[in-house]
Amino acid sequence: MSDQKTDKDPMSDDALQDLVASTDTGARAPSGLSSKILLGVALAWSLFQLWYASPLPFMVANIIPVLNDTQARSIHLALAVFLAFLAYPAMKRSPRDRIPIQDWVMALAGAFCAGYLFLFYGSLSDRPGNPNQMDLWTAGIGMVLLLEATRRALGPPLMVVAAVFLTYVFFGHLAPDVIAWKGASFAKAMSHQWLTTEGVFGIALGVSTSFVFLFVLFGSLLDKAGAGNYFIQVAFSLLGHMRGGPAKAAVLASGMTGLISGSSIANTVTTGTFTIPLMKRVGFSGEKAGAVEVASSVNGQIMPPVMGAAAFLMVEYVGISYVEVIKHAFLPAVISYIALLYIVHLEALKANMQGLPSRGAAKTLLQRVNGFAIGIIATAILVAAVYFGVGWVKQLFGDGASYVIAIVIGVVYVALMRFAAKYPELELDDPNSPVVELPEFGPTSRTGLHFLLPIIVLIWCLMIERLSPGLSAFWASALMIFILLTQRPIYSAFRGDGAMGAAVRRGFDELIDGLIAGARNMIGIGVATAAAGIIVGTVSLTGIGQVMTEFVEVISGGNVILMLIFVAIISLILGMGLPTTANYIVVSSLMAGVVVELGAQSGLIVPLIAVHLFVFYFGIMADVTPPVGLASFAAAAVSGADPIKTGFQAFFYSMRTAALPFIFIFNTKLLLIGINGPVDLVVTIVIAVVAMLIFAAATQGYFVARSRKWESVALLLIAFTLFRPGYWLDQVQAPFDVHDGKQVFSVIDGIEGEADLRLQVEGEDMATGKIINKQIILPLPADGDGVARLTGAGLELREEDGAMLVDNIGFDTPAEKAGLDFDWKVLSVKVPAERMPAEVFYLPAFLLLGLVAFLQRGRRGRELATA
């Protein structure tokens, strides 16, 4: 391949580590006392977060008072700001090996301002909304120092965005009329942003304090224990022998590391240092090798259970349980990864690439299928045994069950370590060497099975026990601490190498390194969530969210598709240069309400989780897209390719991810919403996977053979039909029977059981004076006549001058949450119409697919014959 001649020289390992450090942990590495303070404070931060997340504070509450949420957030931010000034140099030319005196001053001042709510919590509680001069000075200085800490840790983008919003708070009256507001005084702004939980110390920082830190720490401990390297090795031993195998292994490895990573950039560099050279080795160009790694690494941010820590924010913002968030986000993330594997396969077919050689005899297809089937069956049996076994232990031992389960986990852990000790610690070959030979899957997978135990504990606590995310991550982290302290000595004992003392010291050092690295990885996230709180506080103080709705409404002209496209573009712009957590906070605060409000006005009623996932997907696409695609720049640094070309290629590969949000906005079955039984679930999953593979083939211009233009268009049409057959059904049969608003009571009388009632309403928005025309959904109770059931939903109507008007709205009822107001008119009532199943349109889609495949199969045969 010519890429070896045209690509630039890739970065050295030291330069790559500095790249990751400058974005994640801080590029400064001082010596002497400064180093001990920096590392000591980071260690103390991790220990504090473990203490705060554990049950221990409640056990000793009579000795040490339990911290409330506000106090904990204050300490959390104080430590983050302090470390930001110590770990991140002010400028590129600033010293890396020492900490200047001005940074010490800013670190201490920033920590004091951030910790002010903890230090003076009692006195601040005695005078709410009445700040004194000390409060205001502290808030003002703290705000400036927070913006500077944000600039250092995350670069200018988030700092600039937060500063613009803060400027709007003060000088909104000078803004253009379309976005103007009266402006706020310094006292009002600082009180709102710093001394309450509406701004900096709001929900975002609370989630960072309660949940995110523990998950980042858990990932750091896993990595220090060797799990990251284990995942990469398993991925390569499993897929490396296939066509384009290193690229497929890169996708799988990045997906597995993405489960525990909150940074697409770190994910790109961590796995990319190995995967990108190997991809180039088997024939991928530098741009394509980097793009595959970027697409798979960024996809890790949408992959449950962590989703770059955005999953925990969605719990707070959407108001549903963590398990519900994971359920809704799972299928789109999985089919996106499957499609990326398929894209890599198509690239390999187009270039006639081969896989890498494996150790051991090659297996036949039947042997592979049998091995896969046996693995699935064994896993199912193991899952069933664990589920029913734990239930039996709980029934038998009652309150003592947790101790019995802990002992069982310990026994299983030792048994797995004994099993792993029989195999040498495998190292993959140097990816830059002339010959690369992959390890065997069996021995490779057996060397790290114990790493799965804390992941199983985490998922069990989250999904089965329904513990809080923070407490679940605490128990998983506690097990990881135990593994770090014991795995080296146990290895040494089973192998009889006589190095027990060194093994104990190594385990302790790895634990300390993991605790410190976890805290340093959290510096950027901590200050990012605080800085993003400025934007959230501005939205709640000024009402800019409503302005954004009006802006998008004007430029889209009320068209739903155009509205979604503009929201996607704005989310992409807002997400540029932001880490995943801050990215989601910004785009959801500004754009989620736009989709909900304008969608309702156009008759598009979308579940809130679908809206938040929509803006989140496009926010993280900014890590891919030039000119600010940080993950693309990181991958280009590894591959030595052009970063802009890498970014565009990565965006091309990520089109499948960009298409998914538009699909699940209209077809919420992709989010597992509205599934009717197990058969419907299976059909939904199979059709979604097939549709996404067809979409990937269409965008790559290759299916069975190279596609002609009309064939690519046909494949796109097939994919669209499979994803949203309801569109064609709507063209044939109307989805709703529409009745006049005056008939609302008689319509309800004809609806049996609990149901959702669609009302088209119109009225004046009391805040803006604007006439609103939108569609709402009211959940009706099952019993009673039309009047009683509407009252049960919180709505009372009266008939006046031939129209049905809103007479009363119950407090905190579905009617109030739907945004109804007094004297609004009910224009019409919509009832789902009796229609044929939308799935009938699958038949012509599959017939067209068969035609395309038949035509391409003939061409493929001729291509192979002439090759």
Side-chain angles (χ1 to χ4, degrees), residues 649-672:
Q649 186 68 50
F651 181 78
F652 188 60
Y653 287 156
S654 299
M655 285 177 64
R656 76 208 188 285
T657 307
L660 274 172
F662 285 96
I663 296 164
F664 62 60
I665 281 286
F666 293 100
N667 180 8
T668 55
K669 280 191 174 184
L670 283 177
L671 303 180
L672 303 184

Side-chain angles (χ1 to χ4, degrees), residues 116 123-140 185-196:
Y116 191 76
S123 58
L124 287 170
S125 300
D126 292 337
R127 43 186 165 81
N130 186 29
N132 59 28
Q133 288 298 313
M134 178 67 174
D135 299 339
L136 296 178
W137 274 104
T138 301
S185 66
F186 180 79
K188 182 176 180 59
M190 289 302 100
S191 177
H192 184 83
Q193 295 279 19
W194 198 269
L195 302 177
T196 71

Side-chain angles (χ1 to χ4, degrees), residues 776-796:
I776 66 166
I777 292 182
L778 280 183
L780 296 175
D783 300 324
D785 59 9
V787 175
R789 294 172 75 182
L790 266 186
T791 303
L795 179 61
E796 295 181 19

Side-chain angles (χ1 to χ4, degrees), residues 338-417:
I338 293 173
L340 184 56
L341 283 170
Y342 185 56
I343 287 172
V344 167
H345 180 70
L346 294 177
E347 288 283 10
L349 284 177
K350 285 190 279 187
N352 197 27
M353 297 178 191
Q354 302 300 320
L356 296 172
S358 301
R359 297 190 183 105
K363 294 182 178 180
T364 65
L365 177 61
L366 181 60
Q367 288 175 321
R368 291 174 185 168
V369 172
N370 285 339
F372 180 76
I374 292 171
I376 293 294
I377 294 171
T379 301
I381 293 173
L382 181 61
V383 169
V386 171
Y387 181 81
F388 292 108
V390 171
W392 176 77
V393 168
K394 286 182 177 180
Q395 289 180 353
L396 188 62
F397 294 96
D399 294 338
S402 57
Y403 299 102
V404 176
I405 293 171
I407 293 172
V408 171
I409 290 173
V411 171
V412 172
Y413 166 63
V414 174
L416 290 175
M417 291 294 296

